[in-house]
Amino acid sequence: MRKVPLTAASCAVVLAMTACGSPGDAAGGGEDAPVKVGIVYSASGPLATYGEQYKQGFEAGLDYATGGSMEVDGRPIEVEYMDDAGDPTKAVSATRDLIGTGHDIIAGSTASGIAVQVAPLAEQNDILFISGPAATDAITGINDHTFRSGRQTYQDILTAGTFMDDPAGAEVVVFAQQNAFGQDNVAAVTEVLESEGASVDSVLAPPDTTDLTPFAEQVSQADADLVFVAWAGETASAMWQSLDQQGILDSTEVVTGLDIKPSYPIFGEAGERISFLSHYFDGASDTAVAEIMKDSVEADGGSVDLFTPDGFTAAQMVVHAASAGDDVQDRISALEGWTFEGVKGEITIRAEDHALIQPMYQVELIGQGEQAHPELVAEIPAADVEPTVAE
C-alpha cells in the first residue's frame, strides 16, 4: 500500500435567559448607549464542549480587546448568551429574539448547520454576524454581513495537502457524519485530491447514531489506501472504537484533524500512527496574545483547547467593529481587510469574501492514555493554506 500521509476538522452575561430590554429596542442607541452583543452558541447538546471553549475564549478576548474596561470608546459592552442546543430552529429563534431587543452584533454558531441558517438573518436585518467554530465553507462569502472567527474546512484540507505524498492513483475514503461539517469535508477532499489524481469515496453516518459498527464495516470493505476521518462531537470515542474493532487503524493509513483534549486518550497505541492536522491546541502558538489568552482562561478556571481561540478572535472582531460606530456598513468596512495580531499570530480578514487567513498546524500525538499529548511538527504559514476566493 502506498503511504499517503494526509490529515483532515449580562443586562451583561446571562445564559439562555430572557433578553435584556424591551422588544423593539433600536439597535445603536447613541454615543452613550451600550454596545449590545448576542452570543448564540451550543451551551448544551452534542457540541456543548466546543461551545464552552468558545465562551471562555470570548470572555478572555473581550477583556483583552477592551484593556479590561469592557467598554468601547466609553460605551459599555453588554453580552447576552443564548443556548441553541445544537438545533438550527432554536438558533434562528434566539437570533431573532436578540435582534428584536437591539442586539446588532451576533456571534457564536458552534455548528455548521446552524451558521448557514443564521447568516441570512444578518443580511435581512442589517446587523453583523460573526460565526464561531462552525467550519463550513458555505459561510465564507455568503453575504457582506457575515464574518467568521475560526478556520474553514478548506483550510483543513489545504493543510493536509502540505504534508502528503503524491496522491495520484490512491483510493481515498472520507468517513464523516451526515451533516454540513461532514459534507463539507467530503466536498473539499474530493476537490483537492481528485485534482491530484486520487479517487475519493465517502461513508457518512447519522450524527446522532450510537451504533457505528455498520459504518466502520463499510469503511473496512472499501479497502482504501487512505481513510480520511472528519468527525465532531460526543460520538468520537465510539467512532474510533468501531474503526479499531474493524482493524482499520492497523491495516490502513488513517488521517484526521486533532480534536479536543478529552479525545487524546481514545487513540491508544494507534495515536502515534495517525497523521494529524490541527486548527489549534494548547501550546500550538507561542505568541504574546496566546499567552495572555491562556493566563486569562486559566485564571477563570478554564482550560485552553481547540476552539478557545475562536472565541478570543471573535471578541477582538466585535470590539474592532464596534469602534467604527453603530452603522453596520462602517463596521463591515472596519473588518474587511483588517490585519491584526491574534492568538495564532498575524491574522487577516480577506476583504473579498471574509475568509479568515491564518496559519495552521501539523502535529503528532505522543504517549498513551492520560499521558497522550500533541507535539508540534510544523506551523503551516497562512499563505500556504489560503482558500480560493468564494464566488
Side-chain angles (χ1 to χ4, degrees):
M1 180 190 76
R2 179 192 297 105
K3 195 175 183 65
V4 188
L6 171 69
T7 61
S10 149
C11 34
V13 178
V14 296
L15 175 62
M17 295 179 66
T18 302
C20 308
S22 303
D25 283 351
E31 60 182 18
D32 297 325
V35 176
K36 302 183 72 172
V37 181
I39 306 295
V40 181
Y41 77 118
S42 292
S44 64
L47 300 183
T49 301
Y50 298 168
E52 180 60 20
Q53 293 169 21
Y54 173 89
K55 181 174 183 286
Q56 291 175 1
F58 185 83
E59 291 173 348
L62 204 56
D63 181 73
Y64 168 77
T66 64
S69 70
M70 298 300 169
E71 295 181 347
V72 178
D73 297 330
R75 300 172 61 186
I77 300 176
E78 291 185 356
V79 182
E80 181 168 357
Y81 294 89
M82 298 190 74
D83 180 17
D84 59 33
D87 184 339
T89 300
K90 291 182 179 179
V92 169
S93 178
T95 301
R96 291 188 185 280
D97 287 347
L98 289 167
I99 294 171
T101 52
H103 295 77
D104 55 0
I105 300 178
I106 303 295
S109 287
T110 315
S112 292
I114 287 174
V116 295
Q117 296 293 319
V118 173
L121 297 178
E123 184 174 41
Q124 293 164 12
N125 293 276
D126 200 29
I127 57 103
L128 193 68
F129 171 50
I130 303 172
S131 183
T136 177
D137 293 312
I139 286 298
T140 297
I142 191 169
N143 59 54
D144 289 344
H145 292 65
T146 296
F147 293 80
R148 68 190 320 144
S149 64
R151 100 295 188 201
Q152 63 187 83
T153 297
Y154 209 92
Q155 287 167 310
D156 285 346
I157 309 306
L158 289 173
T159 301
T162 65
F163 49 94
M164 64 178 294
D165 292 336
D166 183 2
E171 297 288 333
V172 179
V173 169
V174 182
F175 186 32
Q177 293 152 305
Q178 182 70 54
N179 55 21
F181 174 70
Q183 291 165 340
D184 273 5
N185 272 273
V186 173
V189 172
T190 301
E191 180 176 344
V192 173
L193 295 189
E194 285 196 345
S195 68
E196 298 294 331
S199 176
V200 180
D201 201 351
S202 64
V203 174
L204 301 179
D208 58 352
T209 188
T210 56
D211 182 10
L212 292 161
T213 300
F215 302 97
E217 289 176 345
Q218 292 180 47
V219 174
S220 178
Q221 292 167 3
D223 194 26
D225 297 305
L226 181 145
V227 175
F228 182 99
V229 179
W231 210 270
E234 296 176 351
T235 58
S237 179
M239 178 273 297
W240 287 112
Q241 289 175 2
S242 296
L243 289 182
D244 197 16
Q245 289 169 357
Q246 295 299 316
I248 296 169
L249 299 183
D250 294 320
S251 63
T252 306
E253 183 74 16
V254 178
V255 298
T256 192
L258 188 66
D259 201 359
I260 58 178
K261 289 178 179 178
S263 75
Y264 299 166
I266 69 175
F267 292 100
E269 295 180 2
E272 297 183 0
R273 302 195 302 274
I274 296 174
S275 296
F276 294 93
L277 72 81
S278 177
H279 164 49
Y280 197 78
F281 64 91
D282 189 4
S285 172
D286 61 359
T287 66
V289 179
E291 289 300 314
I292 290 170
M293 179 186 72
K294 182 177 176 67
D295 290 345
S296 180
V297 168
E298 292 182 349
D300 286 339
S303 176
V304 170
D305 211 332
L306 177 61
F307 293 120
T308 316
D310 293 19
F312 196 97
T313 301
Q316 290 180 284
M317 294 170 68
V318 165
V319 172
H320 186 71
S323 68
D326 288 331
D327 184 85
V328 69
Q329 292 302 325
D330 289 341
R331 290 175 172 180
I332 291 170
S333 295
L335 290 176
E336 288 183 337
W338 184 41
T339 296
F340 58 101
E341 288 301 315
V343 173
K344 300 170 73 173
E346 185 176 280
I347 297 174
T348 297
I349 301 171
R350 191 163 61 192
E352 293 89 340
D353 60 1
H354 304 171
L356 196 68
I357 310 305
Q358 59 194 295
M360 297 285 284
Y361 307 100
Q362 178 185 357
V363 304
E364 59 184 352
L365 198 59
I366 304 299
Q368 300 176 32
E370 296 303 317
Q371 303 304 312
H373 63 280
E375 289 189 2
L376 182 66
V377 174
E379 178 178 307
I380 312 302
D384 291 351
V385 290
E386 181 174 349
T388 56
V389 176
E391 297 181 358

